[in-house]
Each structure stands twice: as structure tokens, then as C-alpha cells.
Amino acid sequence: MTSRWVSFDVNQASESPFVQFDRWFDEARSVVREPEAITIVTSTLTGRASARMVLLRHRSERGYGFFTNYNSRKGSDLSENPYASILWYAEPLGRQVRIEGPVEKLEDAVSDAYFASRPRGHQISAHASDQSAPLESRSEI
């Protein structure tokens, strides 16, 4: 019986976890519908954890980045407790990578450039939405 996952030979692995992740990420592009999808977990100082999906938008040896509304729940959590965990999962390959550690804001110019690159409708939606805030009714949208 053969495995449905791609085998992993530790002798072929890079000594750099950043290089290895890039290899797996590039491999996943051909078999994963949304390889940028990651789960991020944040927590309040009292330990109230919250997980959600975001898109991985930056990868380097300095770290991994995503964009969020600073007023969202994750933005609030990270302001209060600047630590998080992310999980990247590529099911067809049987691969997952978990990263934990401190989180810091990217430079304003990087955030502004990303926002400017988004489709106009996404920009309008981001401005109009009070992300993570409950709505009283559908008509409020």
C-alpha cells in the first residue's frame, strides 16, 4: 500500500527552516487551492485564545506576515499580547508548519503599499467594515 502523501526524506531537508518552508510552499502551489491560507491564533493577556484564517502575505528569514485591521479582534489581541501562533497546512502533501513567537507591526509604507494593491472593492469594504464587531441585523451591512 502506498502513502497518499509526498514522502519526506530528512536527508534532503534544508538546514534552514525558512528555506524548507519555502520549498514546501512552492510545492503546494500546484496542489493546494489557497496555499497562502494560514490559521493564526492570538490570545488576550488572560489567555482567551482566538483562531481564524488569514492569508500569508510575506515570507522571509525575518518572519512571516499577514495584514489585518488593527481594530479587529486579532488586532486588539496583538496590541494587548503581541504573541501569536500560525499554522500552515497542505493536506494533499501531508505537510504542516507551526510557527510561534512575537508579532510586530510592519512598517506603515508596507501596509500602505499592500492596501493600494488591493482591488478597489476590497479597499471600500475594508473601510466600510467594522471588522469583528457584531451586527444588529443584516440590514446594518
Side-chain angles (χ1 to χ4, degrees):
M1 185 168 152
T2 61
S3 173
R4 66 184 179 117
W5 291 337
V6 176
S7 64
F8 175 63
D9 182 348
V10 71
N11 295 316
Q12 299 295 317
S14 172
E15 296 210 8
S16 165
F18 300 100
V19 170
Q20 188 61 49
F21 179 76
D22 283 344
R23 286 179 186 168
W24 285 354
F25 190 88
D26 290 342
E27 188 179 6
R29 286 185 187 278
S30 64
V31 294
V32 176
R33 182 173 179 209
E34 189 86 57
E36 296 87 2
I38 58 173
T39 301
I40 179 166
V41 178
T42 59
S43 172
T44 63
L45 283 177
T46 60
R48 184 175 170 218
S50 179
R52 78 286 279 154
M53 301 300 293
V54 297
L55 295 177
L56 181 64
R57 295 297 192 198
H58 172 78
R59 301 182 333 245
S60 75
E61 290 198 18
R62 183 169 173 235
Y64 298 88
F66 61 93
F67 295 94
T68 188
N69 180 323
Y70 295 148
N71 296 321
S72 68
R73 168 125 181 238
K74 65 185 157 305
S76 176
D77 284 356
L78 291 169
S79 178
E80 181 179 319
N81 182 18
Y83 293 88
S85 177
I86 63 174
L87 174 67
W88 176 80
Y89 181 56
E91 190 277 334
L93 302 173
R95 307 259 194 260
Q96 66 175 317
V97 175
R98 191 183 75 227
I99 302 163
E100 300 172 351
V103 176
E104 60 187 53
K105 288 182 180 179
L106 292 169
E107 298 80 19
D108 287 345
V110 174
S111 292
D112 292 345
Y114 171 72
F115 186 81
S117 75
R118 296 182 74 194
R120 183 71 176 143
H122 292 203
Q123 292 174 346
I124 292 168
S125 176
H127 273 297
S129 169
D130 191 9
Q131 191 178 27
S132 300
L135 298 173
E136 295 295 321
S137 68
R138 185 172 178 85
S139 64
E140 191 176 339
I141 294 174

